[in-house]
Amino acid sequence: MHVPIDYDTLRVIWWALLGILLIGFAVFDGFDLGTAILLPFLGRSDMERRILINSIGPVWEGNQVWFILGGGASFAAWPPVYAASFSGFYVAMFVTLLALILRPVAFKFRGKVDNALWRSVWDWALFIGGLAPALIFGVAFGNLLQGVPFRFDAELRAVYTGGFFQLLNPFALLCGLVSVAMLVMHGAAYVQAKTIEPIAGRARRAGMIASIVTLVLFALGGVYAYSMLDGYAITSQIAANAPSNPLRKTVEVATGAWMRNYERFPWSPAAPLLGLVGALLAAVMFALRREVAAFVMSAASVVGIVATPGLAMFPFIMPSSSEPNASLTAWDASSSHLTLYVMLIAVVIFLPIVLAYTAWVYRVLRGKVPSHIFEPGGHAY
């Protein structure tokens, strides 16, 4: 079958699509996770906690599809990345899945027994279901920036050479805190827009604090990455349109190497700038009680923060700290030319449908959580 798009172009397209899916997950499912983290603190009574739960109840399942799409895209478009990451981060992925499984169980079981202790247990289960993925995803990004300890054997099978607690290093934990603060900010913006007083006022105050914390922690991470973090750079020729083989290149490790893309692509500093300015403007919009503007600014900050490491690392997707030459890049870790093309056709057809349906759902569900859903015979959680 003749493929009208060059292999190297398809690889860049799919690198960008993977980034878009991760950003979509952070923006859409991010406010779900942030709301769950805030649940025990913003809801002072059972009714207030029910309002918070029902603010995300109609949309959380659809939002989580972005996570599934991201995992499916990495499996189909970047098989070596999928294999190495799910092997190296196995325990972290398992904990994440357990936390995500807690969410639907807590949503459904919380109202089954009219008992304060019973409901409190499930409220804290929702809190864990929000906090654990937010923290772990940030820690994962921190470890990607430092390099993951893996190598390939003679048969190109990924072998993880590190341990679980090795992933919990200071920089990775800093990235985890950035992720948690970022999603708390985004969740607070959503809660403020979807609830009435006094919940909205508490969310406003939490959002202002989380916005400033996000700004400070993200800036600290940038300073650390610029001055102390070792980055990776390809020093040999690499055929961008050749069949995938991650062992046909030479990679050097040097402090500040991740900053070279900002010199190579003058537009790329827009991502960290968006992360910083978005968080700052979100804090201002919270203070001014501009609900929609606060949500837009927090979403912009999320986009910038998630895009920053992706743009800094390009073309690396998963660098190896054990064997830098085995690092996985956009040029040598993809599926075949034909596979990427057929998948792109599917994306062009179905992604607009998904986006159109998502837009319609949010339009239908716009506005504050109505009180009538809690009347007898209603369908509220």
Side-chain angles (χ1 to χ4, degrees):
M1 178 180 176
H2 174 67
V3 179
I5 305 178
D6 293 338
Y7 198 10
D8 51 344
T9 303
L10 277 172
R11 282 169 160 162
V12 174
I13 290 173
W14 272 101
W15 169 83
L17 283 174
L18 181 60
I20 289 171
L21 292 173
L22 292 175
I23 289 172
F25 171 68
V27 171
F28 288 98
D29 206 33
F31 67 74
D32 289 352
L33 299 176
T35 301
I37 295 171
L38 290 168
L39 175 64
F41 311 104
L42 299 186
R44 304 290 174 80
S45 66
D46 181 66
M47 180 56 69
E48 289 183 350
R49 288 189 286 274
R50 287 187 69 190
I51 291 172
L52 287 165
I53 291 171
N54 281 278
S55 71
I56 59 175
V59 298
W60 73 269
E61 288 179 288
N63 293 340
Q64 197 160 286
V65 168
W66 289 92
F67 177 63
I68 299 170
L69 289 175
S74 64
F75 171 76
W78 310 100
V81 176
Y82 182 90
S85 61
F86 275 71
S87 297
F89 298 147
Y90 182 82
V91 175
M93 292 288 186
F94 187 75
V95 172
T96 300
L97 290 176
L98 285 179
L100 293 177
I101 290 170
L102 270 179
R103 292 209 295 170
V105 175
F107 277 125
K108 300 298 182 182
F109 276 54
R110 184 186 186 276
K112 297 298 183 182
V113 178
D114 188 10
N115 177 274
L117 179 59
W118 172 270
R119 293 187 174 186
S120 177
V121 167
W122 291 115
D123 288 340
W124 284 103
L126 282 170
F127 168 78
I128 294 171
L131 178 64
L135 180 64
I136 290 172
F137 288 137
V139 169
F141 266 97
N143 279 283
L144 285 177
L145 284 165
Q146 296 175 97
V148 180
F150 74 93
R151 60 178 178 80
F152 287 99
D153 62 17
E155 297 179 351
L156 282 182
R157 292 177 298 189
V159 179
Y160 184 66
T161 58
F164 173 75
F165 292 101
Q166 184 179 344
L167 302 176
L168 304 178
N169 54 79
F171 179 73
L173 291 174
L174 173 61
C175 292
L177 293 177
V178 171
S179 177
V180 171
M182 172 186 76
L183 297 187
V184 168
M185 168 188 69
H186 199 38
Y190 180 80
V191 170
Q192 179 191 222
K194 293 292 291 183
T195 63
I196 59 175
E197 300 293 342
I199 305 174
R202 296 177 198 137
R204 191 177 304 119
R205 291 188 290 273
M208 283 190 287
I209 295 172
S211 299
I212 299 303
V213 173
T214 300
L215 175 66
V216 172
L217 293 179
F218 184 53
L220 286 175
V223 171
Y224 185 98
Y226 179 79
S227 59
M228 292 182 282
L229 186 65
D230 288 341
Y232 294 72
I234 299 173
T235 57
S236 62
Q237 292 293 326
I238 184 169
N241 58 354
S244 292
N245 186 337
L247 301 181
R248 293 178 178 173
K249 64 181 180 299
T250 303
V251 175
E252 72 167 2
V253 181
T255 301
W258 290 141
M259 301 298 156
R260 295 178 185 177
N261 275 351
Y262 295 126
E263 301 172 0
R264 191 178 300 115
F265 308 116
W267 51 267
S268 59
L273 185 63
L274 182 63
L276 294 169
V277 174
L280 177 61
L281 291 179
V284 173
M285 293 302 108
F286 276 119
L288 296 176
R289 302 192 176 193
R290 300 286 297 274
E291 296 174 352
V292 175
F295 184 80
V296 171
M297 289 300 102
S298 70
S301 180
V302 171
V303 171
I305 291 172
V306 177
T308 294
L311 290 174
M313 291 172 61
F314 182 82
F316 290 90
I317 300 177
M318 189 172 180
S320 169
S321 58
S322 298
E323 190 177 335
N325 292 344
S327 298
L328 300 173
T329 74
W331 310 130
D332 56 21
S334 73
S335 293
S336 69
H337 193 180
L338 180 58
T339 299
L340 295 183
Y341 179 67
V342 172
M343 288 172 55
L344 182 61
I345 294 175
V347 169
V348 170
I349 295 172
F350 291 107
L351 186 58
I353 297 174
V354 172
L355 293 175
Y357 176 75
T358 301
W360 176 78
V361 167
Y362 279 97
R363 176 173 174 76
V364 171
L365 296 173
R366 67 188 182 278
K368 307 284 186 178
V369 176
S371 58
H372 67 78
I373 66 171
F374 299 109
E375 296 174 356
H379 299 285
Y381 286 111

